[in-house]
Amino acid sequence: MPLQKAPVGFEYVAAPIKATGKDLISLASVVQTAVLQEDGSETEPLNLLAITDGARTIRHRLFSIFGSTVVLILDWYHFLLMACKRTHCFKPRQVALNTRTTCANC
């Protein structure tokens, strides 16, 4: 999980695992410790923001670590896929000479 460092940059935080694949320490504990080390001296509440692909597992993990204080934003590609499913076009396509993705029927 990437963690933003002050004033700039990111650090990748991961839980150590045994050879059997089981966590030695939970990811939640590792992330909470890293956040406290980085921002523990802050007197103001932290603004927590996660840009995700909407996976339920990621959402549940973030809420288990930070509670309801984290704001989740769906990345633009997965947001478009969700919009296509809701409008029943189901056919996102890449537009030639453009990095934007659009719906085939939109």
Side-chain angles (χ1 to χ4, degrees):
M1 168 180 291
L3 174 66
Q4 186 171 2
K5 304 288 282 178
V8 295
F10 289 87
E11 172 186 358
Y12 188 77
V13 180
I17 58 171
K18 299 179 185 178
T20 60
K22 302 271 185 187
D23 289 345
L24 288 170
I25 304 170
S26 73
L27 178 62
S29 296
V30 173
V31 171
Q32 288 169 342
T33 300
V35 169
L36 284 173
Q37 287 175 345
E38 184 66 25
D39 298 306
S41 62
E42 292 292 324
T43 57
E44 297 293 319
L46 294 175
N47 295 317
L48 299 171
L49 173 71
I51 300 172
T52 76
D53 65 358
R56 184 175 299 144
T57 304
I58 295 171
R59 188 172 58 247
H60 287 285
R61 179 167 285 161
L62 289 169
F63 287 145
S64 74
I65 295 171
F66 300 112
S68 62
T69 60
V70 64
V71 174
L72 300 176
I73 295 178
L74 193 60
D75 68 79
W76 67 270
Y77 179 77
H78 290 91
F79 178 78
L80 179 66
L81 288 178
M82 186 172 56
C84 286
K85 287 180 184 178
R86 287 191 178 162
T87 59
H88 305 291
C89 69
F90 292 106
K91 298 176 184 173
R93 63 177 167 82
Q94 196 71 20
V95 177
L97 304 175
N98 194 333
T99 58
R100 289 186 3 194
T101 302
T102 61
C103 292
N105 296 335
C106 298

